[in-house]
Amino acid sequence: MKANLFGKYHMFILKNVTHKYGDKTILQATDWAASQGEHWLLLGNSGSGKTTLLHIMGGLLKPTNGDVEIANQNLHQVNGSKLDRFRAQHIGLVFQKPHLIQTLTVLDNLLLAQYMAGVKKNKQRCLEVLTQLNMQHHKKSYPNKLSQGEMQRVSVARAVLNSPKVLLADEPTASLDDENTVQVIQLLQQQAQVVNATLVIATHDQRVKNEIDQVFNL
Amino acid sequence: MNLIKLSWSYLNKKRLNTFLNTLLLSFGVGIIIFLLLVVNQAEEKLKNNAQGIDFVIGAKGSPLQLILNAIYHMDSPTGNIPLSEANMIANNKRLVKKAIPLALGDSYKAYRIVGTTTEYPEFYKCKIAQGKLWQKNFEVTIGAIVAQKLGLKVGSKFYSSHGLEDDDDLAHKEHAFVVTGILAPSKTVVDRLILTNIESVWEVHGHHDDHEEGEDHKDSTDHEHKEGKDHDHKEGEHHKDSTDHEHKEDKDHDHKEGEHHKDSTDHEHKEDKDHDHKEGEVHGEEKEKEITAMLIQRRSNMAIVMIPGMANRSNKLQAVSPAQQYLKLLENIGIGADVLQYFAYVIIFIAGLSIFIALYNALKEREYDLAIMRTLGATRLKLFTHIILEGMLLALVGALLGFILGHGAVEFTGKMIAGSSQMTLSGFQFLSAELNILILVLVVAFVAALIPAIQVYKIDISKTLAK
């Protein structure tokens, strides 16, 4: 890796990250750094540890070894509610399944994201993002009334709502049809661009590989 | 968006579950509220009516029955006592401050006619709403509820019936009572009474009663006498004269009485010179003037010891302290209420358990939601509070239902018994003790939610999301 690995202008830096369950090594990543606004694909076969790596980058999991620096913050140095707060402010996560809160409307799901992140309530911002994703007419719908593609769009909206520095998507298209796949990938890129976030999409989906050039292989 | 709204959204989504979980709680709370209100209102009622009455003097028998009858006008009278003997106690001015005689025995449509003095309504601080207090015989002043329920007005006339039940067959058709006044509602027993002077009761009821009793008495004497003749001929020789004598007298008297009964007014007018109730006096030679009870307010503490002693010297009288009987009664009712109350607490405890189970199960289903919220930046404390709040909200809904249930049940019971009972119940009474119940319920809910809420701390976000 380059000498400027820990330079200020990198949005995230991974160094010697490995993770073990017991004796079994499930993740061994080469060093990786990305600048602000870059879009990356994280490729690897099933079981290669893509999800584990994203969880580590999202501060959901502590790696057994190695350092993770996100937006100039070494994640080893933050814990507990500080880490929660850091995650809320800097990281947006999209999962294979949308996982919206079923008891709340689309709009309330977004408002909840603001509330949980400890961000000031801003309904205007929620509506703005929904409009960008062409979901504004569903703001009062409950998630179970939406299609998979629509739900995934709402979950993208939720992830970018608080303008994260890093947007991490774990197999976001795995349960979508072709049309929705293209849409969601484009929306992710578009939204990442709007908030100038570094985007990482973990996938083994051939349909996605054509959309993004920069690739990190596990 | 806030935690209450979030917690509520989960409860609202599973309305049936929420309802079932709160049902138990609402029953527990409802029962306690019901007991609380009923016991409180019964106590108030008892206290109000017995306030200032230190002793009730009446015929020997059940002390509680005497109290119930003379103060609360429930239950049947223990019997009558001679006025003269009651007066022997009442006339002790050093011991007795106030003595109010009561003569019972007649009623109108199940509302009791009480022969007494004007001190009685004064004692209960009753105010006249319409008309005036009774002055002459057969004038009555009626309580507010009597007036309302029976639609009586000043000037209304009615015939009383013998006994305390509503029975037309036993009506005394000779004398009509005239309503001269209606009392303002006093929230005391007087509201349900028809008040008149003692003489009226003696006249209308005493006549009849004496007459009947007299006849009975004569019959038995007659019978005994005959038996005596048949069996105790020799032994009874000495005795015979006197009995014979009596017998003759009785016979004569009996005869007169019979006539008298048919057109008593005429007869009375012929015989009467000074009084309306000469008959009573005639009887007075054999039977004294009687009253049912006398309410005593003591003047000195000495009376506490003296009056029961004086009453006991007579073989007909007893003096009963309402306060003591009231304590006894409460002790007895208390046991029943206590058991029910424990039962209600057990229900609340079980309700707490059901809240615990509901939250614990919900937590398994919602692990994913909670993990997602963590990825959105929610702290553990926030989610801990979220679960606790959900338990509290559940409890609050249950308590609210319980309050409605309890108050509703009291109001409903009050309406049910309104016509038939001396007891009035209102569901619209609110006690500070209810706040304690709310606090108890919230504490139970907090404890019930505590373990599920602590589980939130143990959720491994990464593992949960990877599932």
Side-chain angles (χ1 to χ4, degrees):
Chain A
M1 274 290 149
K2 290 168 191 163
N4 63 354
L5 183 64
F6 289 101
K8 291 278 179 195
Y9 48 89
H10 282 131
M11 192 46 79
F12 71 80
I13 298 151
L14 302 181
K15 208 180 170 199
N16 301 324
V17 172
T18 57
H19 194 69
K20 289 179 182 176
Y21 275 129
D23 288 340
K24 197 179 164 202
T25 303
I26 55 161
L27 170 70
Q28 194 150 23
T30 49
D31 294 350
W32 180 20
S35 301
Q36 182 160 28
E38 287 180 352
H39 295 183
W40 285 80
L41 278 183
L42 172 58
L43 296 180
N45 298 321
S46 287
S48 60
K50 298 189 295 291
T51 298
T52 306
L53 184 58
L54 283 191
H55 284 184
I56 288 170
M57 290 168 77
L60 307 177
L61 190 64
K62 290 260 180 237
T64 314
N65 281 304
D67 286 306
V68 181
E69 198 183 301
I70 308 265
N72 299 323
Q73 172 67 56
N74 190 324
L75 292 189
H76 265 308
Q77 291 163 355
V78 278
N79 277 305
S81 58
K82 264 191 183 167
L83 180 58
D84 292 328
R85 176 53 56 91
F86 179 82
R87 190 187 304 126
Q89 286 170 352
H90 296 95
I91 297 161
L93 285 155
V94 177
F95 301 96
Q96 180 180 338
K97 289 189 176 147
H99 296 306
L100 302 176
I101 306 301
Q102 298 290 324
T103 61
L104 299 174
T105 63
V106 166
L107 181 59
D108 279 343
N109 261 283
L110 296 191
L111 289 168
L112 179 74
Q114 287 180 337
Y115 175 76
M116 284 307 183
V119 176
K120 212 176 152 205
K121 179 185 152 186
N122 186 346
K123 198 172 168 184
Q124 205 50 48
R125 166 71 184 150
C126 297
L127 293 173
E128 178 189 312
V129 176
L130 281 178
T131 309
Q132 285 166 11
L133 297 176
N134 198 25
M135 287 296 294
Q136 72 278 15
H137 53 287
H138 277 304
K139 66 178 179 187
K140 292 218 169 122
S141 305
Y142 282 91
N144 58 6
K145 298 275 183 263
L146 306 179
S147 70
Q148 277 290 319
E150 287 170 329
M151 281 199 272
Q152 195 60 298
R153 273 192 269 168
V154 176
S155 86
V156 170
R158 184 173 64 182
V160 300
L161 188 67
N162 299 326
S163 308
K165 295 283 191 295
V166 178
L167 186 55
L168 306 171
D170 185 11
E171 302 271 14
T173 59
S175 39
L176 299 181
D177 57 26
D178 291 354
E179 196 187 331
N180 275 310
T181 296
V182 174
Q183 260 189 22
V184 164
I185 295 302
Q186 281 175 352
L187 285 173
L188 275 170
Q189 288 190 281
Q190 177 203 323
Q191 286 301 312
Q193 212 161 5
V194 169
V195 298
N196 198 18
T198 303
L199 172 67
V200 176
I201 301 175
T203 188
H204 66 277
D205 192 337
Q206 289 299 330
R207 300 171 295 188
V208 180
K209 288 177 182 168
N210 308 324
E211 306 286 328
I212 293 168
D213 312 329
Q214 282 176 294
V215 173
F216 181 78
N217 275 300
L218 265 181
Chain B
M1 181 55 57
N2 55 51
L3 286 179
I4 291 179
K5 195 177 171 190
L6 180 67
S7 293
W8 183 254
S9 81
Y10 279 98
L11 292 177
N12 191 39
K13 199 76 181 175
K14 295 197 164 182
R15 265 170 243 166
L16 187 65
N17 277 1
T18 304
F19 176 70
L20 288 177
N21 277 318
T22 51
L23 203 61
L24 263 180
L25 197 61
S26 60
F27 270 113
V29 171
I31 290 172
I32 295 180
I33 297 275
F34 181 84
L35 288 175
L36 211 62
L37 290 185
V38 169
V39 168
N40 185 274
Q41 292 181 22
E43 274 186 21
E44 256 177 24
K45 188 97 184 164
L46 288 173
K47 273 183 197 155
N48 277 346
N49 285 326
Q51 203 110 57
I53 299 173
D54 296 309
F55 286 103
V56 177
I57 295 173
K60 276 201 165 34
S62 154
L64 185 59
Q65 193 185 346
L66 177 60
I67 298 294
L68 286 176
N69 179 57
I71 298 182
Y72 303 109
H73 296 277
M74 298 183 253
D75 212 340
S76 45
T78 46
N80 283 346
I81 53 170
L83 180 60
S84 58
E85 290 199 29
N87 274 337
M88 279 192 355
I89 298 172
N91 289 339
N92 272 293
K93 292 298 171 206
R94 276 194 307 144
L95 300 177
V96 176
K97 188 172 162 195
K98 209 176 262 181
I100 306 169
L102 299 176
L104 302 171
D106 272 27
S107 65
Y108 175 58
K109 305 241 162 153
Y111 288 99
R112 291 186 175 195
I113 298 171
V114 179
T116 183
T117 62
T118 51
E119 275 182 307
Y120 187 66
E122 269 165 34
F123 179 78
Y124 282 112
K125 299 188 173 64
C126 295
K127 283 177 188 134
I128 293 273
Q130 288 172 47
K132 54 187 170 55
L133 284 176
W134 71 93
Q135 280 164 341
K136 285 182 270 179
N137 286 6
F138 296 104
E139 288 185 348
V140 298
T141 304
I142 60 178
I145 292 176
V146 179
Q148 187 206 330
K149 296 273 175 181
L150 300 184
L152 293 174
K153 293 181 181 67
V154 173
S156 298
K157 290 184 180 179
F158 62 86
Y159 291 101
S160 67
S161 53
H162 182 56
L164 303 171
E165 302 298 319
D166 183 16
D167 190 350
D168 269 350
D169 293 345
L170 295 172
H172 296 284
K173 294 288 188 191
E174 312 88 81
H175 298 286
F177 284 96
V178 182
V179 178
T180 60
I182 296 170
L183 296 169
S186 60
K187 292 204 167 169
T188 66
V189 71
V190 182
D191 289 349
R192 301 179 151 271
L193 296 179
I194 300 169
L195 305 180
T196 185
N197 63 6
I198 293 186
E199 286 78 12
S200 301
V201 174
W202 278 338
E203 185 119 353
V204 70
H205 177 243
H207 257 203
H208 188 84
D209 211 31
D210 281 359
H211 183 67
E212 258 184 0
E213 278 177 30
E215 264 183 350
D216 280 356
H217 187 64
K218 276 151 226 150
D219 272 0
S220 66
T221 340
D222 224 20
H223 190 62
E224 264 171 38
H225 181 61
K226 273 175 196 161
E227 271 187 355
K229 266 191 176 174
D230 285 350
H231 302 288
D232 305 328
H233 199 62
K234 281 162 199 167
E235 277 179 55
E237 202 69 39
H238 168 69
H239 193 58
K240 194 187 159 192
D241 267 9
S242 62
T243 338
D244 221 313
H245 185 62
E246 260 181 35
H247 182 59
K248 267 180 199 160
E249 262 191 4
D250 281 352
K251 277 262 173 170
D252 283 355
H253 186 65
D254 211 13
H255 203 59
K256 262 190 212 162
E257 276 275 302
E259 278 175 5
H260 179 106
H261 190 59
K262 271 175 189 155
D263 52 0
S264 59
T265 357
D266 269 5
H267 191 66
E268 250 175 48
H269 275 300
K270 273 182 217 158
E271 283 193 349
D272 268 8
K273 278 155 198 166
D274 313 328
H275 296 285
D276 268 354
H277 44 267
K278 193 192 166 201
E279 195 61 38
E281 278 180 1
V282 169
H283 274 274
E285 287 169 17
E286 308 158 50
K287 279 175 77 90
E288 276 195 88
K289 278 186 191 173
E290 288 186 329
I291 58 171
T292 310
M294 192 170 257
L295 308 179
I296 302 280
Q297 195 169 34
R298 67 170 198 262
R299 185 175 297 281
S300 65
N301 285 336
M302 232 183 20
I304 298 171
V305 194
M306 296 290 287
I307 288 181
M310 288 164 74
N312 278 335
R313 247 173 271 146
S314 159
N315 53 12
K316 289 176 185 155
L317 263 50
Q318 64 170 341
V320 179
S321 153
Q324 270 176 17
Q325 292 304 314
Y326 165 67
L327 277 181
K328 263 190 202 167
L329 186 64
L330 276 193
E331 265 171 33
N332 289 333
I333 295 174
I335 292 168
D338 279 355
V339 169
L340 206 55
Q341 204 158 345
Y342 290 135
F343 175 66
Y345 284 120
V346 169
I347 294 180
I348 289 187
F349 173 75
I350 294 171
L353 212 61
S354 104
I355 290 179
F356 165 73
I357 292 167
L359 288 177
Y360 197 81
N361 284 337
L363 208 67
K364 281 180 194 156
E365 286 171 31
R366 272 155 58 182
E367 231 179 6
Y368 220 116
D369 286 10
L370 293 165
I372 286 287
M373 288 180 213
R374 290 294 307 283
T375 69
L376 294 174
T379 59
R380 287 183 173 94
L381 182 65
K382 228 170 198 171
L383 298 186
F384 173 87
T385 315
H386 161 52
I387 298 297
I388 293 280
L389 264 177
E390 198 162 320
M392 303 284 247
L393 278 174
L394 209 57
L396 217 56
V397 172
L400 197 74
L401 280 176
F403 277 79
I404 295 170
L405 209 67
H407 282 277
V410 173
E411 183 68 19
F412 180 74
T413 311
K415 288 264 192 300
M416 290 279 288
I417 63 169
S420 59
S421 169
Q422 298 284 357
M423 186 70 203
T424 52
L425 286 173
S426 162
F428 294 96
Q429 187 195 38
F430 298 92
L431 305 170
S432 57
E434 293 178 59
L435 209 64
N436 297 343
I437 296 172
L438 184 67
I439 291 167
L440 171 81
V441 166
L442 289 180
V443 167
V444 167
F446 180 83
V447 172
L450 206 55
I451 291 175
I454 288 171
Q455 296 286 318
V456 169
Y457 275 84
K458 294 183 181 161
I459 290 176
D460 184 325
I461 314 172
S462 173
K463 263 188 197 164
T464 306
L465 291 175
K467 266 178 199 165

